[in-house]
Amino acid sequence: MRGRGYVLDFSDPGFSDFFAAELDVDIDDPIYAENGGSKGKRLRCFLQKVDGATAARTLQALWEHRAEFLARTNQPDPVVNAEGRFLSLIARLMDRAEGGTGGQAPVPATDWRLQAELKDGLIAIASLPPQERGYEFEAFLRRSFDAAGLAAREPFRNLGEQIDGSFLLGHETYLLEAKWTASPIGVADLHGFHGKLEQKASWARGLFVSYNGFSEQRLAAFGPGKRLICMDGRDLFDALDRSIPLAAVLERKVRRAAETGRAFIPVSELFASAPTREPR
């Protein structure tokens, strides 16, 4: 079990997402929990294990997050001479890196080969005959969700209605509707899927994936207060191209939907500052 072990303003999922998206590190790997599973203990263990350059890069990313948090909340820095002390620490770490002493390569958060295969597979679906695209798109989504550890389930039928699958996000069950149509999805399809959700348990939620997106005007007419979030083909490609974990994308969509009432917010807006990352 993870303890509280505060690190800045991170929640446990936010801490994991930060390391994956910003540093391509799986901070949840057991190798970093040798002294305990709290965020603070995993961070200390990680910094003790990795080389100086990786430690410096990690602390730089955390420093930038800290600075953004203080600016956003209009708080004064509670640490005397924080920046000077930080820069001194970075200098010592870089000296350690130049000296070539100690450290292991961090455990990567990204399977680059699988990521490349998924991105190529998504692109390839567009060239298939129309009757094959829907099935291949569902298969692609199941593979993507399985790769993200989201416990995807095969399509199933319930009293004659087709559900394209389901998955677990955190402790919540999400039903999946996937569409590959020539035109953006309109409000009728969204209402139809939401009607299915309303016939299920009150805790069931939904993800509607439309490869060719959604009609903005009709999406606005769908209104807030619904139990589903939306994703399009561009979202899938951007997440793969920018090495943003699928679980992190979905979690941020859920949070922003709760905050704004918008069922669809694109990855490009949710992760506006996330850079494209290449294999190292």
Side-chain angles (χ1 to χ4, degrees), residues 189-260:
D189 291 290
L190 292 172
H191 279 302
F193 181 45
H194 195 262
K196 295 179 183 179
L197 292 176
E198 291 181 326
Q199 300 303 312
K200 305 298 184 292
S202 59
W203 58 83
R205 302 181 181 184
L207 171 66
F208 197 118
V209 184
S210 168
Y211 181 83
N212 281 314
F214 304 86
S215 169
E216 290 188 15
Q217 291 183 338
R218 293 176 179 177
L219 190 62
F222 184 55
K226 302 300 191 292
R227 291 161 53 186
L228 64 86
I229 54 174
C230 299
M231 174 178 278
D232 64 7
R234 186 73 207 186
D235 281 343
L236 294 167
F237 182 86
D238 283 347
L240 289 167
D241 193 48
R242 298 163 69 178
S243 304
I244 305 172
L246 180 58
V249 170
L250 295 173
E251 286 167 354
R252 191 160 297 188
K253 279 181 174 286
V254 169
R255 180 172 181 174
R256 290 290 294 276
E259 294 170 344
T260 66

Side-chain angles (χ1 to χ4, degrees), residues 175-195:
L175 303 183
L176 174 67
E177 182 92 344
K179 296 285 188 183
W180 188 300
T181 57
S183 302
I185 290 296
V187 71
D189 291 290
L190 292 172
H191 279 302
F193 181 45
H194 195 262

Side-chain angles (χ1 to χ4, degrees), residues 7-242:
V7 175
L8 300 178
D9 62 329
F10 289 116
S11 63
D12 273 354
F15 188 61
S16 302
D17 293 346
F18 176 85
F19 267 81
E22 296 295 328
L23 299 162
D24 188 28
V25 168
D26 182 6
I27 197 64
D28 294 325
D29 191 282
I31 194 175
Y32 304 130
E34 292 178 355
N35 301 316
S38 72
K39 295 184 291 293
K41 289 180 178 179
R42 283 182 288 140
L43 175 59
R44 285 191 290 273
C45 184
F46 172 79
L47 292 174
Q48 290 167 356
K49 286 180 175 292
V50 298
D51 60 273
T54 299
R57 183 165 58 92
T58 300
L59 291 176
Q60 182 66 50
L62 289 169
W63 174 265
E64 292 172 359
H65 178 88
R66 177 181 183 271
E68 291 174 0
F69 172 75
L70 291 175
R72 185 173 67 252
T73 57
N74 197 30
Q75 295 185 38
D77 198 317
V79 180
V80 176
N81 191 30
E83 186 171 13
R85 295 165 67 179
F86 168 73
L87 293 175
S88 296
L89 174 59
I90 293 298
R92 290 198 300 272
L93 289 170
M94 294 311 296
D95 286 342
R96 189 178 87 182
E98 292 173 2
T101 58
Q104 303 174 0
V107 178
T110 305
D111 183 336
W112 293 105
R113 179 176 297 178
L114 177 58
Q115 179 174 295
E117 290 176 356
L118 287 171
K119 187 163 66 172
D120 290 344
L122 179 62
I123 295 171
I125 295 173
S127 63
L128 293 174
Q131 64 270 24
E132 296 181 24
R133 289 176 188 164
Y135 296 109
E136 289 301 321
F137 190 39
E138 288 181 16
F140 165 84
L141 290 173
R142 285 197 300 276
R143 190 180 182 198
S144 298
F145 280 67
D146 283 339
L150 296 173
R153 182 179 171 186
E154 296 285 331
F156 57 89
R157 289 187 178 276
N158 184 19
L159 296 177
E161 70 178 21
Q162 175 72 35
I163 300 294
D164 291 332
S166 65
F167 62 93
L168 294 177
L169 181 64
H171 299 293
E172 303 288 348
T173 299
Y174 281 76
L175 303 183
L176 174 67
E177 182 92 344
K179 296 285 188 183
W180 188 300
T181 57
S183 302
I185 290 296
V187 71
D189 291 290
L190 292 172
H191 279 302
F193 181 45
H194 195 262
K196 295 179 183 179
L197 292 176
E198 291 181 326
Q199 300 303 312
K200 305 298 184 292
S202 59
W203 58 83
R205 302 181 181 184
L207 171 66
F208 197 118
V209 184
S210 168
Y211 181 83
N212 281 314
F214 304 86
S215 169
E216 290 188 15
Q217 291 183 338
R218 293 176 179 177
L219 190 62
F222 184 55
K226 302 300 191 292
R227 291 161 53 186
L228 64 86
I229 54 174
C230 299
M231 174 178 278
D232 64 7
R234 186 73 207 186
D235 281 343
L236 294 167
F237 182 86
D238 283 347
L240 289 167
D241 193 48
R242 298 163 69 178

